């Protein structure tokens, strides 16, 4: 029988039990005679052929994804191996330093003991000599006897003083005071990193857009959010150049606190779970702790770069943007080297790679040692300012002029645009990815709001 309600053929048992309430039920002869058309066979053949091709394309894509997944696994394995080698090399370096220090301390102690032994031997020889003189039966006059006694007494007194000095000084030894933090912190680490599976969608679109107010009551000027960084707690720090502040934004994108810094901020980055560094136009970097409120830890000075955008912290080093490149400093502000030959804007770091927008048509990626890894370029970009990266390694950059967000894979392949375009009349300056809400936060100049793009 044929059920017109469900447009499908069924056996008599199914018709009687499951399609009793359907009104359009006929036998096959009537159904084929009234509604069946030969052209439906051709249409179905065409449709099935098209579907066959689509399924073949999907199968091919899945096979390619198997290869890409294996490449990704191999890449992670190589990175784990690099971390292992790096850790072992660092432990070897620490061990070598400890042994060098031990050898130096041992040599000093040994030299002192050998010097003391030589002094004792001289004194002992002198004491033996006076004993022989005192036991001598050679006849001398009273004056000579007096001189000999006084000289012997002097040598004896010197020997007594030496003995007392050595006895009170104790034994020379060498001890090892272990840095317990090294072992404790090492044992607290439960993994080298988090292994997660992500579904990388080809479709990248904006689901909705929100404008979030970041202006505070005591702000005297229109905000200029030059940089944004995300803390380990999931909160965000906004660097407001115009109001000379850094602002704390919670996980629901509400500004809850601020801290007035000693100069206009030009860059900000995370240095630990709840600590950030703020680069100022005074050529100082302020280190802040972020709990329920801000507190200042200390300041360090740099020789150049305060007036220029961008800063990140990686492998114990600060990368600081300047007029024509990037300078690298240690945690105390000691200059080490220069990298890059262009003026950067925003910088981000992922594992051992640093991504810098270059006010041009893309992004330049460097290894942590300063060597260039790759470039991410596209003709739709003219003046890149902001950059961020999602959890799956997708890189987003925004163009200051066109306000387009162009997407790249981590290895540099352009994946197209994030559509639709960002609808905001001011110039975009900075990006930050919020993995909790799967959205991108955009800072502008001048603007009292940041834009939050929730992605599909």
């Amino acid at each position: 029988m044929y059920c017109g309600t469900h447009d499908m053929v069924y056996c008599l048992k199914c018709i009687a039990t499951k399609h009793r309430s359907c009104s359009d039920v006929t036998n096959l002869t009537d159904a084929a005679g009234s509604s069946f058309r030969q052209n439906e066979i051709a249409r179905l053949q065409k449709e099935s052929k098209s579907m066959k091709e689509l399924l073949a394309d999907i199968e091919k894509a899945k096979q390619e994804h198997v290869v890409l997944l294996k490449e990704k696994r191999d890449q992670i394995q190589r990175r784990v191996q690099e971390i292992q080698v790096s850790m072992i090399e660092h432990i070897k370096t620490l061990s070598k330093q400890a042994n060098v220090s031990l050898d130096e301390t041992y040599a000093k102690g040994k030299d002192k003991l050998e010097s003391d032994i030589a002094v004792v031997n001289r004194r002992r020889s002198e004491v033996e000599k006076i004993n022989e003189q005192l036991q001598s039966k050679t006849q001398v006059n009273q004056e000579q006897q007096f001189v000999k006694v006084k000289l012997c007494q002097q040598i004896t007194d010197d020997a007594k003083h030496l003995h007392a000095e050595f006895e009170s000084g104790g034994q020379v030894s060498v001890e090892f005071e272990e840095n317990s933090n090294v072992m404790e912190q090492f044992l607290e680490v439960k993994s080298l990193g988090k292994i997660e599976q992500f579904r990388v969608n080809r479709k990248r679109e904006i689901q909705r857009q929100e404008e979030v107010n970041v202006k505070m009551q005591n702000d005297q000027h229109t905000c200029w959010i030059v940089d944004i960084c995300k803390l380990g707690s999931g909160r965000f720090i906004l660097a407001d150049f115009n109001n000379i502040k850094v602002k704390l934004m919670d996980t629901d994108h509400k500004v809850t606190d601020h801290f007035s810094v000693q100069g206009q901020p030009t860059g900000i980055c995370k240095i630990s779970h709840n600590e950030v560094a703020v680069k100022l136009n005074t050529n100082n970097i302020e280190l802040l702790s972020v709990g329920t409120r801000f507190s200042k830890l200390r300041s360090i000075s740099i020789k150049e770069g305060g007036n220029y955008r961008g800063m990140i912290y990686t492998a114990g080093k600060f990368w600081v943007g300047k007029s024509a490149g990037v300078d690298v400093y240690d945690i105390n502000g000691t200059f080490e080297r220069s990298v890059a030959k262009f003026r950067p804007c925003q910088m981000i770091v992922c594992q051992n790679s640093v991504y810098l927008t270059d006010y041009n048509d893309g992004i330049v990626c460097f290894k942590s040692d300063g060597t260039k890894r790759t470039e991410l370029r596209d003709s739709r970009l003219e003046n890149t300012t902001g950059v961020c990266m999602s959890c799956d390694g997708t890189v987003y950059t925004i163009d200051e002029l066109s306000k387009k967000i162009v997407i790249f894979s981590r290895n540099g392949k352009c994946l197209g645009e994030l559509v639709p375009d960002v609808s905001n009349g001011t110039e975009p300056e900075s990006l930050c990815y919020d993995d909790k809400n799967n959205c991108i936060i955009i800072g502008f100049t001048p603007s009292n709001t940041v834009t939050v793009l929730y992605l599909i």
Side-chain angles (χ1 to χ4, degrees):
M1 302 289 287
Y2 170 75
C3 176
T5 303
H6 293 90
D7 192 22
M8 182 50 62
V9 291
Y10 299 98
C11 69
L12 291 176
K13 182 179 179 180
C14 288
I15 289 292
T17 57
K18 298 180 181 180
H19 298 268
R20 183 179 299 174
S21 61
C22 296
S23 59
D24 188 13
V25 176
T26 60
N27 59 51
L28 289 180
T29 303
D30 293 339
S34 61
S35 60
F36 183 72
R37 297 290 183 271
Q38 187 65 34
N39 60 0
E40 289 196 24
I41 296 179
R43 178 192 62 78
L44 191 57
Q45 286 177 336
K46 183 178 180 181
E47 184 178 344
S48 62
K49 181 180 179 182
S50 175
M51 186 53 61
K52 179 182 176 182
E53 292 173 351
L54 288 175
L55 291 174
D57 290 342
I58 291 175
E59 181 184 4
K60 181 180 178 182
K62 293 293 183 183
Q63 293 291 352
E64 291 175 353
H65 290 167
V66 170
V67 175
L68 292 174
L69 190 63
K70 181 178 182 301
E71 291 177 354
K72 194 67 178 178
R73 183 204 64 179
D74 294 344
Q75 177 186 342
I76 294 172
Q77 285 179 337
R78 287 194 298 271
R79 179 55 189 155
V80 170
Q81 182 67 24
E82 288 174 0
I83 295 172
Q84 175 184 324
V85 171
S86 178
M87 292 177 68
I88 291 173
E89 289 301 317
H90 187 59
I91 291 172
K92 286 181 179 179
T93 299
L94 295 178
S95 177
K96 183 178 179 180
Q97 290 173 350
N99 283 324
V100 168
S101 179
L102 174 61
D103 289 342
E104 290 175 351
T105 305
Y106 165 75
K108 289 178 181 178
K110 181 171 175 288
D111 291 344
K112 181 66 170 60
L113 286 172
E114 290 177 345
S115 175
D116 291 347
I117 290 170
V119 171
V120 169
N121 284 334
R122 288 196 299 271
R123 287 285 183 266
R124 189 178 64 180
S125 297
E126 291 171 353
V127 170
E128 288 176 353
K129 187 175 181 180
I130 64 169
N131 278 332
E132 292 175 358
Q133 291 177 356
L134 291 173
Q135 293 173 6
S136 173
K137 296 180 180 180
T138 304
Q139 294 296 323
V140 293
N141 60 33
Q142 191 171 354
E143 291 178 351
Q144 291 173 329
Q145 186 73 19
F146 180 81
V147 170
K148 181 164 63 173
V149 168
K150 291 301 177 183
L151 292 175
C152 290
Q153 185 64 57
Q154 179 64 50
I155 292 172
T156 302
D157 290 344
D158 289 345
K160 286 180 181 179
H161 292 152
L162 182 64
H163 177 266
E165 178 186 344
F166 286 166
E167 282 293 309
S168 63
Q171 296 289 336
V172 176
S173 182
V174 59
E175 300 294 337
F176 176 60
E177 183 180 352
E178 183 179 348
N179 185 351
S180 59
N181 288 337
V182 173
M183 186 60 70
E184 289 174 2
Q185 292 178 9
F186 183 77
L187 294 177
E188 284 178 1
V189 177
K190 303 304 180 184
S191 69
L192 294 180
K194 185 189 294 184
I195 304 295
E196 292 183 306
Q197 178 177 308
F198 293 97
R199 184 171 293 278
V200 182
N201 299 317
R202 294 191 176 207
K203 186 178 180 181
R204 294 176 175 86
E205 294 182 1
I206 300 170
Q207 184 181 42
R208 60 189 172 93
Q209 176 176 327
E210 288 184 0
E211 301 301 316
V212 177
N213 181 40
V214 294
K215 186 176 179 64
M216 308 190 79
Q217 280 189 342
N218 57 353
D219 285 349
Q220 297 181 1
H221 306 283
T222 303
C223 301
W224 178 357
I225 306 302
V226 297
D227 206 352
I228 309 172
C229 76
K230 181 173 177 289
L231 297 173
S233 61
R235 298 176 296 173
F236 304 88
I237 308 295
L238 314 178
D240 187 343
F241 181 88
N242 281 350
N243 291 297
I244 318 178
K245 294 176 181 177
V246 292
K247 298 177 177 179
L248 179 62
M249 176 185 281
D250 65 18
T251 55
D252 295 322
H253 306 145
K254 296 178 181 177
V255 174
T256 60
D257 193 19
H258 76 278
F259 184 84
S260 296
V261 288
Q262 302 302 307
Q264 292 175 308
T266 57
I268 189 166
C269 64
K270 182 179 77 169
I271 57 176
S272 68
H273 183 73
N274 275 330
E275 292 182 357
V276 296
V278 188
K279 180 164 68 76
L280 307 176
N281 65 345
T282 58
N283 281 342
N284 283 336
I285 296 175
E286 289 191 3
L287 278 59
L288 307 179
S289 175
V290 189
T292 54
R293 299 188 66 84
F294 288 97
S295 60
K296 183 176 177 179
L297 300 175
R298 62 189 179 96
S299 294
I300 60 176
S301 297
I302 55 176
K303 65 179 183 179
E304 186 183 353
N307 283 312
Y308 299 96
R309 293 282 310 281
M311 177 178 67
I312 57 96
Y313 181 77
T314 178
K317 312 292 181 185
F318 287 110
W319 288 44
V320 177
K322 61 178 184 178
S323 59
V326 176
D327 283 343
V328 179
Y329 297 85
D330 69 13
I331 191 65
N332 296 312
T334 302
F335 173 79
E336 292 196 353
R337 65 183 186 276
S338 293
V339 298
K341 299 296 183 184
F342 57 86
R343 178 166 65 101
C345 189
Q346 192 177 16
M347 309 181 196
I348 61 169
V349 61
C350 178
Q351 294 181 353
N352 62 337
S353 296
V354 178
Y355 296 81
L356 299 81
T357 53
D358 63 354
Y359 288 108
N360 208 314
D361 62 346
I363 302 166
V364 184
C365 176
F366 291 88
K367 297 179 182 179
S368 58
D369 62 4
T371 57
K372 186 186 293 186
R373 185 185 293 276
T374 187
E375 295 187 18
L376 290 66
R377 303 286 183 191
D378 187 76
S379 59
R380 285 166 286 197
L381 299 170
E382 300 178 58
N383 198 35
T384 55
T385 51
V387 60
C388 68
M389 181 182 291
S390 61
C391 298
D392 61 2
T394 303
V395 182
Y396 299 82
T397 185
I398 194 164
D399 190 275
E400 185 180 45
L401 302 178
S402 68
K403 300 180 179 59
K404 293 181 181 293
I405 294 180
V406 176
I407 312 167
F408 297 89
S409 66
R410 190 181 297 177
N411 61 8
K413 181 182 178 182
C414 185
L415 304 176
E417 295 179 34
L418 183 65
V419 292
D421 297 340
V422 181
S423 56
N424 190 306
T426 55
E427 297 177 354
E429 289 284 317
S430 51
L431 296 181
C432 187
Y433 179 75
D434 178 359
D435 55 343
K436 176 187 174 184
N437 298 296
N438 187 31
C439 61
I440 296 174
I441 303 171
I442 310 175
F444 294 89
T445 177
S447 177
N448 288 328
T449 63
V450 298
T451 297
V452 181
L453 302 178
Y454 291 88
L455 307 181
I456 295 176

